[in-house]
Amino acid sequence: MFMCPSMACLHRDQHEQWTRNQGNPRRSVRVFRCQLPRTNVFYSSEPPSRNNSDKPLCAGAALCHWCGTWKGDKICGGCKKSRYCSEKHQALHWRSGHKNDCLQIINSSEASSSVLPAVGKVPARTSWPEYQIAIDDEVDLDSDGCDEDSSKSLVMQKHGKPDDTMQSWMDQFEADADNQCWAYFQERISRAPEQVLRYCRDPNVKPLWALSAGRPSNPDIPSCSYCKGPLCYEFQIMPQLLYYFGVRNEPNSLDWATIVVYTCQETCDQNISYKEEFAWVQLYPTSISRP
């Protein structure tokens, strides 16, 4: 999953996804699927032993030494060690210090790997930090999005028997679908406050929406652009991820309610090529606008 760190681009995504443009929509959130058959040149066909003895069968993709992306097919003409995805990134890396490093590598009889940036520690300032994700199963998975009874019970548990003022407030709350959805969303994620991603491949399960507004209807979800079959919900990115990326709370800072990814239900065309899937961006109420 790739994303532009500009909030203006997310606003554009919010508009573009309603247009149902099946051609080449301008989206800043792009999701790509790459699957391997069980027998392949990269990994063993046997399940991992999980004793630290499992090793890839080859070195894997060459990464750009500036941005860390996987398409590092251009090689530095001097040291023959650094790789880049574009001439622009090669120039940026050169000006940032590789000019001196390159000379050291050339003049050294034994090139030290410590001279080059380690994989995952690229110098580009726009790169977000890397983390290891721990996987936990959620018990009693609820396939319904917003649950009215659940949101009402949250109010009752907190306040007990309501007086006239509280009853009036509750009536307004129950009439606002966004408030109900938000209350249920908050209660659900409170079971695991640090969750950054929710995953479920069951076609009957629905995303956990933060708001009632800004959700897609069935016609808003396109068909698979390769086999023309249906797409189904697979995973969603939670707003908590912004905290770990150190995004500041400023007017133009990156922000979202949730980003839901839909993938081909039949998992078509399983090979080593990348296939683009569909992402739906849900923003908070102040940002939601449907043409």
Side-chain angles (χ1 to χ4, degrees):
M1 181 173 181
F2 297 86
M3 177 188 297
C4 175
S6 168
M7 189 61 194
C9 287
L10 273 191
H11 280 287
R12 189 186 67 193
D13 274 18
Q14 181 72 10
H15 172 77
E16 289 285 340
Q17 63 195 12
W18 291 113
T19 63
R20 303 176 186 173
N21 184 355
Q22 296 288 337
N24 187 24
R26 298 174 59 199
R27 303 295 303 277
S28 68
V29 178
R30 310 290 291 270
V31 180
F32 298 89
R33 164 172 56 95
C34 182
Q35 293 171 276
L36 295 173
R38 178 162 184 171
T39 302
N40 62 82
V41 299
F42 300 100
Y43 297 97
S44 169
S45 60
E46 298 302 318
S49 58
R50 304 190 185 281
N51 61 1
N52 296 323
S53 64
D54 302 301
K55 301 294 181 182
L57 301 181
C58 65
L63 304 182
C64 173
H65 275 87
W66 177 256
C67 67
T69 54
W70 56 270
K71 204 171 183 181
D73 52 2
K74 295 177 173 58
I75 303 175
C76 174
C79 65
K80 310 295 183 183
K81 297 290 184 180
S82 292
R83 290 179 170 270
Y84 306 99
C85 64
S86 65
E87 293 181 1
K88 179 181 177 180
H89 285 187
Q90 182 175 4
L92 289 170
H93 193 213
W94 182 265
R95 292 197 295 268
S96 71
H98 181 63
K99 179 180 180 179
N100 295 329
D101 294 339
C102 190
L103 291 174
Q104 292 180 25
I105 296 173
I106 295 172
N107 295 331
S108 174
S109 58
E110 246 181 318
S112 173
S113 60
S114 62
V115 175
L116 296 177
V119 174
K121 296 181 179 179
V122 294
R125 295 180 180 178
T126 57
S127 296
W128 283 329
E130 292 186 3
Y131 293 92
Q132 181 178 0
I133 298 178
I135 301 174
D136 291 323
D137 291 328
E138 185 179 69
V139 295
D140 300 327
L141 186 63
D142 188 349
S143 62
D144 297 327
C146 306
D147 187 277
E148 182 178 358
D149 293 334
S150 177
S151 61
K152 288 181 183 178
S153 67
L154 292 177
V155 177
M156 295 299 292
Q157 290 172 7
K158 184 175 182 180
H159 299 285
K161 185 177 180 180
D163 55 20
D164 292 341
T165 302
M166 181 57 64
Q167 185 63 53
S168 175
W169 180 86
M170 287 177 60
D171 291 340
Q172 295 178 19
F173 178 89
E174 293 169 15
D176 191 322
D178 275 345
N179 282 339
Q180 293 182 33
C181 207
W182 179 249
Y184 181 69
F185 180 81
Q186 290 285 76
E187 188 276 334
R188 190 64 172 270
I189 64 175
S190 67
R191 306 175 191 177
E194 296 181 347
Q195 61 184 281
V196 296
L197 185 147
R198 297 175 64 87
Y199 182 94
C200 186
R201 197 64 173 86
D202 189 329
N204 296 319
V205 173
K206 299 178 182 179
L208 178 63
W209 296 104
L211 304 161
S212 178
R215 292 188 294 178
S217 61
N218 288 335
D220 293 320
I221 305 300
S223 301
C224 175
S225 57
Y226 305 101
C227 70
K228 306 305 178 183
L231 301 185
C232 66
Y233 161 67
E234 182 160 349
F235 70 93
Q236 66 185 110
I237 305 296
M238 309 299 285
Q240 293 93 308
L241 184 64
L242 295 166
Y243 168 79
Y244 294 99
F245 283 166
V247 176
R248 297 180 180 179
N249 187 19
E250 297 176 352
N252 296 321
S253 296
L254 195 62
D255 199 8
W256 63 74
T258 188
I259 299 175
V260 180
V261 175
Y262 296 85
T263 61
C264 179
Q265 188 168 318
E266 299 300 325
T267 317
C268 67
D269 199 9
Q270 298 186 38
N271 54 43
I272 62 173
S273 64
Y274 283 82
K275 302 297 181 184
E276 185 167 5
E277 300 288 16
F278 181 75
W280 184 273
V281 177
Q282 185 184 50
L283 303 182
Y284 289 106
T286 55
S287 304
I288 292 175
S289 60
R290 179 169 183 168

